[in-house]
Amino acid sequence: LLENRSKEDLLQLLSKLLNYHPSLKRLIRSLVDYGEVTKNAADESYIFQVSEIFHRVGLAWNVDTQLYKDLRTVKLLGDELRGKGDYCGALSIYDALCMGILNNYLSLFDEGGELVDLVQDCIFNMNELLENEKNDVKLRKLVLSNLFRIYHTDMQFGCIGFGEKIPEALSKFTNYDEKNTISAWIKDLLKTGKNIRRSYQEEGYRKLLSSLN
């Protein structure tokens, strides 16, 4: 498609792409600065890929078969990386997919619950990593951060049900230091009251905090 284009044509095309999708700038900057796809660059590319799927939907906000298939394809890529032992790569995909769905969910009509199922499948895989990969400290920090962010976002959106399996995993599959870390995150939220607008949200956080003690 691009092999026979001149340098000037390619530069014009790149300029148009950057104007149309500003998020590409961060990905390209990472590539230029480091000469390789760093983790941050990979994260950006997955976030961009999920955003593009929702962008293609446009105003047709029903969860049609193609939207589900496209998002499921992203999830299966994460599963493939996980199967090859690239757990950090899989986590990047799961996180981008979950947050992309969560951030768009209130504008969607997910009558069959397909998107909820996709998010919960990703959470199940992350919970398994937390249960089984006991010695990889860096990986575990990423899993904990991703799971707590999903749980927190679900709470903000009214406890839709995305994160209902997360509290049990955070309580059951974490060690003493990790429990203290999560407890500190919760206490900070409760202290500042940031994004806690309903009594059920505070109750949910306090219940999770209690399970960690």
Side-chain angles (χ1 to χ4, degrees):
L1 179 62
L2 301 176
E3 290 86 349
N4 297 322
R5 296 294 185 96
S6 67
K7 179 180 178 180
E8 290 75 17
D9 288 342
L10 292 173
L11 287 173
Q12 288 181 4
L13 178 60
L14 179 59
S15 178
K16 290 178 181 179
L17 284 172
L18 290 174
N19 288 331
Y20 191 59
H21 298 294
S23 60
L24 278 174
K25 292 180 181 179
R26 292 190 293 273
L27 175 59
I28 293 174
R29 187 177 297 116
S30 297
L31 295 173
V32 171
D33 289 345
Y34 299 104
E36 59 183 5
V37 180
T38 63
K39 180 183 181 301
N40 287 339
D43 289 350
E44 290 286 352
S45 68
Y46 298 138
I47 292 170
F48 175 75
Q49 185 176 351
V50 173
S51 298
E52 275 294 279
I53 291 171
F54 282 105
H55 177 74
R56 288 199 299 270
V57 173
L59 298 177
W61 285 114
N62 287 329
V63 179
D64 61 15
T65 302
Q66 191 58 50
L67 172 64
Y68 173 73
K69 284 183 177 179
D70 289 348
L71 293 172
R72 186 171 181 273
T73 297
V74 176
K75 189 260 181 185
L76 291 176
L77 175 59
D79 293 345
E80 182 179 347
L81 293 180
R82 179 170 172 258
K84 293 178 178 178
D86 183 0
Y87 299 139
C88 289
L91 282 174
S92 294
I93 292 177
Y94 293 152
D95 185 54
L97 180 60
C98 289
M99 295 310 297
I101 291 174
L102 279 164
N103 289 331
N104 287 282
Y105 194 76
L106 294 182
S107 300
L108 295 167
F109 183 60
D110 184 25
E111 183 178 17
E114 289 93 347
L115 299 188
V116 174
D117 290 343
L118 269 182
V119 172
Q120 290 185 341
D121 284 347
C122 292
I123 291 171
F124 177 83
N125 289 341
M126 287 190 277
N127 288 347
E128 277 202 336
L129 288 177
L130 198 60
E131 179 181 8
N132 298 325
E133 300 300 319
K134 300 183 184 302
N135 299 319
D136 192 331
V137 176
K138 179 181 177 182
L139 175 70
R140 294 181 66 81
K141 285 181 178 179
L142 288 173
V143 175
L144 290 176
S145 177
N146 288 358
L147 289 175
F148 191 79
R149 179 164 55 251
I150 294 168
Y151 178 76
H152 177 57
T153 304
D154 187 34
M155 291 286 280
Q156 286 182 277
F157 288 166
C159 294
I160 298 170
F162 289 104
E164 61 185 15
K165 301 294 185 182
I166 292 176
E168 181 182 1
L170 294 181
S171 174
K172 187 176 181 181
F173 303 134
T174 50
N175 59 39
Y176 177 80
D177 290 336
E178 291 166 344
K179 284 180 169 62
N180 284 339
T181 296
I182 301 166
S183 295
W185 293 341
I186 297 171
K187 289 175 182 178
D188 183 60
L189 284 171
L190 292 172
K191 180 179 179 180
T192 61
K194 184 178 180 181
N195 297 319
I196 300 179
R197 304 182 183 89
R198 300 287 187 271
S199 59
Y200 66 81
Q201 294 173 321
E202 181 175 349
E203 181 182 349
Y205 286 119
R206 292 195 180 281
K207 185 176 180 180
L208 174 56
L209 184 61
S210 177
S211 73
L212 295 169
N213 295 326

